[in-house]
Amino acid sequence: MVFKSLRGVEDLLPPESEKFEKVVKTFKEAVEKAGFREVILPIFEEAGLFARSVGETTDIVQKEMYVFEDKGGRQVALRPEGTASAVRAYIQHGIYAKEPFTKWFYVGPMFRFERPQAGRRRQFFQAGCEVFGLSQPGADAEVIGVAASILESLSVEFNLEVNSIGCEKCRPRYREALLEFLKLRVEELCPDCKGRLERNPLRVLDCKVETCKEVVSEAPVITDYLCDECRVHFQKVKEYLSLLGVGFKVNPRLVRGLDYYTRTVFEFKSEKLGAQSTVLAGGRYDRLVSQLGGPETPALGFAMGIDRVMLLLPQVEEEREGVFVVTAGEEAYRKGLELIAFLRSKGIKAQIDHRQGSFKSQMKAADRVRAKFVVIIGEEELKGDFLSLKDLDTGKQEKISGLEELLARL
Ligand code: ATP
Ligand code: MG
């Protein structure tokens, strides 16, 4: 029996793992500059937390969540997203009583039982930000701006779409109008959407089936139904975004696949990703903290799909780095061991070929690991008490008299 990883659950081997780290590092640098601090949250939680926050009628909860009973008989779920846990932790630790506003970020794996394809996996990674305690439209604009700055730092091209999906005051009116419209076109909807109609017609707007998308393109838009407060809020968000120099397009049919959003929602999309076009998405969720038992607390956030971002990174050739020590014979090998320890202590990446094969095979290894320099310790070098240094970028070789000179050259 040969084991394989589960479908949609991928190993990240080098250099993919290094790409992953680069994305995380860039994300952290960008959000820390904006004052976000890291929270490390559990990978599994009580299943009810997600049903309650993401929404009972969502695809995530109905079809995609990994739920199991633990040995204590509890219903447990692998987290399908990060916001629910962040809100749970915010309430549990009474952060609302300690800070007037809070800016958190998280990075980690998420789990959804979906049909695996390019940019869609069952274990995938998100990096996300959450802001608690700010209701002002400036916070929406800033959060969207931070998201844009992450993708810009990664040289990922995007189109930003924003919308307002209103609040509990104005959404019911829209829901009615939408339902009325969809009922007339019900025959054209996919089986899933037929079911969604009564439970949550807004879900239909997010359907990815072509025929549903066509119907939706003629549906009434929520922006025509916003209450005065929501309208003013959205207007300010757009003004502030322009002020911050963030380019965007209003997509009045944009909704999100999770129930907890209110007012501002946004998606960063890439044309290069085919069907899985959204790389980063988020919005405001002013009702969620109180819905989960905390005090009324406005909040907003986003999550970036790291796997999808990785598909969009420009290909760069790995740069050569560090030193590879090539030796001939036991005495030279011993000197080589001392040398790599010395170089590493000076912060220089250094490797040696323990196989002690031919000069040619050692040079080949140096090239394969993309070393920048080769230090040669051969018979001649031992006799003459010097080292030979070869630059693999230029092919130039020179004699080095001692360690001081070697350090100066590297
Ligand atoms: P989609 O519409 O593509 O299913 P979603 O609305 O379910 O996305 P969110 O829950 O908002 O996505 O998650 C935010 C981001 O996480 C997405 O924009 C995407 O980049 C990424 N993401 C979501 N699901 C997956 C998955 N199964 N595999 C890889 N990345 C994912
Ligand atoms: Mg989804």
Side-chain angles (χ1 to χ4, degrees), residues 32-319:
E32 279 171 351
K33 257 192 280 182
F36 287 83
R37 299 180 70 184
E38 183 162 20
V39 282
I40 299 176
L41 300 165
I43 283 175
F44 57 104
E45 298 260 10
E46 238 176 274
L49 170 67
F50 302 108
R52 193 64 192 279
S53 55
V54 174
E56 294 281 5
T57 66
T58 58
D59 281 358
I60 294 179
V61 168
Q62 292 212 327
K63 300 195 259 182
E64 300 173 0
M65 205 150 70
Y66 282 88
V67 184
F68 59 96
E69 193 181 295
D70 75 4
K71 296 211 191 307
R74 293 172 207 89
Q75 284 298 109
V76 166
L78 297 184
R79 62 180 182 192
E81 56 108 52
T83 301
S85 303
V87 173
R88 196 252 323 123
Y90 177 80
I91 299 167
Q92 181 176 338
H93 302 286
I95 308 299
Y96 50 84
K98 300 175 191 160
E99 302 176 355
F101 60 87
T102 298
K103 292 158 118 179
W104 281 353
F105 76 85
Y106 61 84
V107 179
M110 306 294 160
F111 307 87
R112 296 183 194 175
F113 192 77
E114 301 198 70
R115 198 166 66 78
Q117 48 200 298
R120 194 175 291 286
R121 291 173 171 174
R122 290 181 175 169
Q123 174 177 291
F124 61 100
F125 292 84
Q126 285 185 339
C129 285
E130 314 291 353
V131 175
F132 298 100
L134 297 176
S135 62
Q136 297 77 6
D140 307 43
E142 190 194 4
V143 164
I144 295 171
V146 168
S149 75
I150 300 162
L151 296 177
E152 274 158 14
S153 306
L154 288 162
S155 305
V156 167
E157 284 170 34
F158 59 79
N159 294 310
L160 167 59
E161 294 183 1
V162 300
N163 192 22
S164 173
I165 58 168
C167 62
E168 68 270 33
K169 263 199 292 179
C170 44
R171 214 179 311 163
R173 227 159 52 83
Y174 174 65
R175 191 181 186 278
E176 281 313 306
L178 180 64
L179 187 59
E180 211 171 293
F181 168 85
L182 290 175
K183 273 182 173 164
L184 298 172
R185 308 280 299 265
V186 67
E187 288 314 316
E188 298 163 63
L189 300 177
C190 75
D192 272 351
C193 281
K194 284 191 177 117
R196 285 169 182 143
L197 214 52
E198 291 296 338
R199 268 183 287 127
N200 192 344
L202 265 78
R203 274 284 83 72
V204 177
L205 298 181
D206 201 30
C207 184
K208 300 199 167 61
V209 175
E210 274 312 314
T211 48
C212 294
K213 279 197 203 166
E214 258 165 54
V215 174
V216 163
S217 71
E218 290 160 28
V221 293
I222 186 138
T223 33
D224 291 338
Y225 290 80
L226 296 179
C227 63
D228 286 344
E229 286 94 337
C230 286
R231 196 188 312 281
V232 170
H233 185 94
F234 191 36
Q235 183 55 35
K236 289 267 184 199
V237 171
K238 290 185 282 185
E239 285 171 26
Y240 295 157
L241 277 174
S242 300
L243 211 67
L244 293 174
V246 180
F248 65 91
K249 199 182 88 192
V250 174
N251 174 0
R253 292 194 171 79
L254 178 69
V255 292
R256 305 279 308 112
L258 300 81
D259 275 352
Y260 51 61
Y261 288 111
T262 48
R263 293 193 165 170
T264 315
V265 293
F266 53 91
E267 291 198 5
F268 289 75
K269 298 183 175 178
S270 162
E271 283 153 15
K272 295 178 192 147
L273 278 179
Q276 275 59 252
S277 61
T278 305
V279 286
L280 186 158
R284 184 169 271 288
Y285 50 91
D286 289 341
R287 305 283 310 124
L288 186 56
V289 178
S290 62
Q291 204 177 301
L292 289 178
E296 276 303 319
T297 308
L300 69 156
F302 65 79
M304 176 177 88
I306 296 179
D307 312 69
R308 289 190 198 170
V309 167
M310 282 168 64
L311 296 173
L312 293 171
L313 292 187
Q315 280 297 338
V316 282
E317 211 198 330
E318 257 180 86
E319 270 185 45

Side-chain angles (χ1 to χ4, degrees), residues 1 5 9 13 33-34 58 66 69 141 163 197 257 279 287 300 324 332 351 355 365 394 397 404:
M1 164 107 200
S5 66
V9 180
L13 309 178
K33 257 192 280 182
T58 58
Y66 282 88
E69 193 181 295
N163 192 22
L197 214 52
V279 286
R287 305 283 310 124
L300 69 156
F324 197 93
Q351 301 181 79
R355 298 171 306 172
T394 63
Q397 188 166 324
E404 287 294 309

